[in-house]
Amino acid sequence: MKQIIFLLIVLSNFYAQAQADSTDVSFKKRVLDATEVDFLMSYYKQDGIHSAVAGGSGMEKLTDVTPTIVVAMPLNDDDVLTVDAGVSAYSSASSGNINPFDSKTPSPWQASSGASASDMWVGVTAGYSHSSDDRNTIWNAHVSGSVEYDYTSIGFGGGLTKLFNEKNTEVTVSGNVYLDTWMPIYPKELQDFADNGNSTNGGIYNYFNIVDQNGISKAGYDPSRFTFWNDKKRNSYSLSVSLSQVINKRLQASLFFDVLQQNGLLSTPYQRVYFKDADDYYINKFRLADDIERLPDTRFKVPIGARVNYYINETFVVRTYYRFYTDNWGITAHTANIELPIKITDRFTVFPMYRYYTQQASKYFAPYEAHLSAERYYTSDYDLSTFDAHQYGAGINYTDIFTGTKIWKFGVKNIDFRYNHYQRSDGLDADIFSVGVKFVQQ
């Protein structure tokens, strides 16, 4: 309730200030003529062989369904209020193995049915934008909130856009702050010991024997020597600058530069790590954690990129994108993307696309059972490894500027469908389906 009250106060202040800044003009085109509603839906499915929850070895099966509704409402000629609400519901064999011991035969290659095997993320963002009378100045602000089973986030930010040179040049500066809080969940074998799992409260040590890799009973596993995270906060700050230029009737280009800083708990508490200089302990075929992922509590990121769009003729357009990324964890990456929209009719456009990504590993990454216990920082999350990735896809877009098709009080303005297949050199494969429908109030 406090967050909602704060949101209403902020938006009302923005609105009042925008009214004070406006000047009377005899006529001006509305920024948004009528309420628009976007319904978006995506389905994501992946599998791989390097589960971070199991220390870099194990299945990575995951499915995710994400419905989202975005409503943009004109408040007057100059001001627009946008509300974006979404849900992400996923099922993950990998995160299920936070507790693989709900099975009598726990294994990193067997899906767990525990509580952590599925979850739902819910997020809402409210944004407000104001355009000057000459439409050469646009400023915006937003607040957001999201929650899932082990994580909550509150965010706010804003930006300013200036147009010059008869609107052929556009400069945007924006900033965002996200204040997040973990509710740390640890691997079951560590959490149970910390919660006195040796008692009769249902800990795994009451039901399973610890063995070596040959199945012979083995003593000595002592999770009490591990330390758990005291800092449960994660704060993220970003500043973005972009420049867009219409070069001629056919060519448009843009440049962007971002600076991002993160502080707090940047490790994922339930991701295991196994050391090559430590003894092995198992419950059935699942190796008990030597430790959890430990990473620095600060991270500085810098992405720099460019977009170039070229209009060939009424049928073909070429859209290209490149980004360079680096951070102080040692990761460097390059992304290149090309999309070729082909206009089939006045209403239908198809667009094949291809994306290439290559990454150099973080200095804190090592594969399963490759870290040494004397190291200060370590992770076996393959998202931080060296890999190449290819993404192939295509889509089809239907546009009806006259909104002839109607549903209740809304006309259908646009329908967009896309499919992409993603392949990573470390064995991760994924398929992504997405559909979007834009409705306009009539």
Side-chain angles (χ1 to χ4, degrees):
M1 179 60 70
K2 291 181 179 179
Q3 295 176 10
I4 296 174
I5 294 173
F6 173 75
L7 169 60
L8 294 175
I9 292 173
V10 170
L11 293 179
S12 63
N13 287 338
F14 286 156
Y15 179 74
Q17 183 63 42
Q19 292 296 319
D21 290 345
S22 295
T23 58
D24 292 334
V25 293
S26 58
F27 173 79
K28 56 185 175 183
K29 180 176 174 58
R30 292 171 65 92
V31 175
L32 186 65
D33 291 326
T35 297
E36 295 184 350
V37 179
D38 287 276
F39 175 75
L40 311 172
M41 173 75 78
S42 68
Y43 173 77
Y44 174 87
K45 182 178 181 180
Q46 74 167 42
D47 197 5
I49 58 174
H50 293 297
S51 167
V53 175
S57 177
M59 68 168 63
E60 296 181 89
K61 287 185 177 179
L62 181 148
T63 59
D64 182 87
V65 178
T66 308
T68 302
I69 295 179
V70 182
V71 181
M73 298 169 285
L75 302 178
N76 51 45
D77 288 350
D78 305 322
D79 306 305
V80 177
L81 176 66
T82 303
V83 179
D84 181 336
V87 175
S88 176
Y90 76 82
S91 174
S92 170
S94 179
S95 65
N97 278 330
I98 296 172
N99 176 20
F101 308 108
D102 59 344
S103 166
K104 294 182 179 180
T105 58
S107 165
W109 302 102
Q110 177 175 302
S112 169
S113 59
S116 57
S118 61
D119 185 33
M120 181 176 292
W121 171 94
V122 179
V124 178
T125 300
Y128 171 85
S129 68
H130 170 75
S131 298
S132 62
D133 290 335
D134 61 7
R135 302 299 186 248
N136 286 331
T137 302
I138 306 166
W139 62 265
N140 65 82
H142 68 266
V143 293
S144 65
S146 64
V147 62
E148 53 185 314
Y149 79 109
D150 64 339
Y151 205 79
T152 59
S153 177
I154 297 174
F156 56 90
L160 176 67
T161 297
K162 296 287 290 185
L163 289 86
F164 308 94
N165 188 26
E166 298 182 345
K167 295 183 171 51
N168 289 317
T169 303
E170 180 179 310
V171 177
T172 299
V173 179
S174 62
N176 292 285
V177 175
Y178 293 96
L179 307 176
D180 306 338
T181 302
W182 281 95
M183 292 172 282
I185 297 175
Y186 299 97
K188 180 65 172 176
E189 63 270 31
L190 303 183
Q191 188 70 57
D192 266 15
F193 201 98
D195 292 341
N196 192 23
N198 285 313
S199 68
T200 59
N201 66 357
I204 61 172
Y205 302 106
N206 296 323
Y207 301 100
F208 295 98
N209 292 322
I210 296 176
V211 299
D212 62 17
Q213 58 187 350
N214 298 314
I216 300 173
S217 294
K218 182 177 181 179
Y221 184 69
D222 183 11
S224 65
R225 68 182 183 273
F226 300 134
T227 59
F228 297 92
W229 293 103
N230 293 320
D231 185 3
K232 301 178 182 179
K233 304 293 185 180
R234 173 185 290 181
N235 299 331
S236 303
Y237 313 90
S238 67
L239 176 66
S240 303
V241 179
S242 66
L243 168 65
S244 180
Q245 177 65 47
V246 177
I247 298 173
N248 55 45
K249 293 181 179 181
R250 294 180 179 271
L251 184 63
Q252 180 178 351
S254 62
L255 302 172
F256 66 85
F257 174 80
D258 298 335
V259 176
L260 302 95
Q261 175 72 40
Q262 290 183 295
N263 301 311
L265 178 50
L266 305 185
S267 305
T268 304
Y270 50 75
Q271 293 186 172
R272 295 173 174 86
V273 170
Y274 300 105
F275 301 127
K276 66 180 179 181
D277 59 345
D279 289 338
D280 300 348
Y281 299 90
Y282 292 83
I283 288 180
N284 192 55
K285 296 180 181 180
F286 198 97
R287 183 175 171 184
L288 305 185
D290 291 332
D291 201 355
I292 54 177
E293 174 184 83
R294 299 193 184 274
L295 294 167
D297 58 5
T298 62
R299 190 176 186 184
F300 184 72
K301 309 176 183 180
V302 178
I304 303 172
R307 298 178 185 272
V308 177
N309 297 335
Y310 185 74
Y311 174 85
I312 299 175
N313 53 40
E314 292 184 357
T315 302
F316 298 99
V317 176
V318 179
R319 297 174 182 167
T320 63
Y321 168 86
Y322 169 77
R323 188 188 78 155
F324 170 77
Y325 169 91
T326 185
D327 65 29
N328 64 342
W329 286 7
I331 292 179
T332 58
H334 302 269
T335 306
N337 188 85
I338 185 169
E339 184 176 302
L340 184 64
I342 304 170
K343 192 173 183 179
I344 306 300
T345 70
D346 288 342
R347 296 190 177 188
F348 287 94
T349 301
V350 297
F351 40 92
M353 65 192 84
Y354 170 72
R355 177 179 179 269
Y356 174 73
Y357 178 84
T358 183
Q359 174 177 296
Q360 180 64 40
S362 167
K363 55 189 172 184
Y364 307 121
F365 171 83
Y368 175 83
E369 206 173 17
H371 281 292
L372 295 173
S373 58
E375 296 173 19
R376 182 180 181 184
Y377 300 119
Y378 32 79
T379 178
S380 293
D381 183 350
Y382 271 72
D383 287 345
L384 302 181
S385 70
T386 295
F387 64 84
D388 298 329
H390 303 271
Q391 184 170 309
Y392 314 87
I396 185 168
N397 179 276
Y398 168 81
T399 301
D400 181 1
I401 61 174
F402 300 108
T403 59
T405 303
K406 294 180 176 60
I407 298 178
W408 191 45
K409 297 180 180 180
F410 290 84
V412 177
K413 184 177 181 180
N414 182 275
I415 302 175
D416 187 272
F417 174 79
R418 298 173 182 240
Y419 165 73
N420 281 273
H421 179 69
Y422 178 78
Q423 290 181 309
R424 216 159 81 173
S425 58
D426 65 356
L428 181 70
D429 290 330
D431 294 287
I432 311 105
F433 301 86
S434 63
V435 62
V437 184
K438 179 184 289 291
F439 301 93
V440 179
Q441 187 178 30
Q442 296 183 326

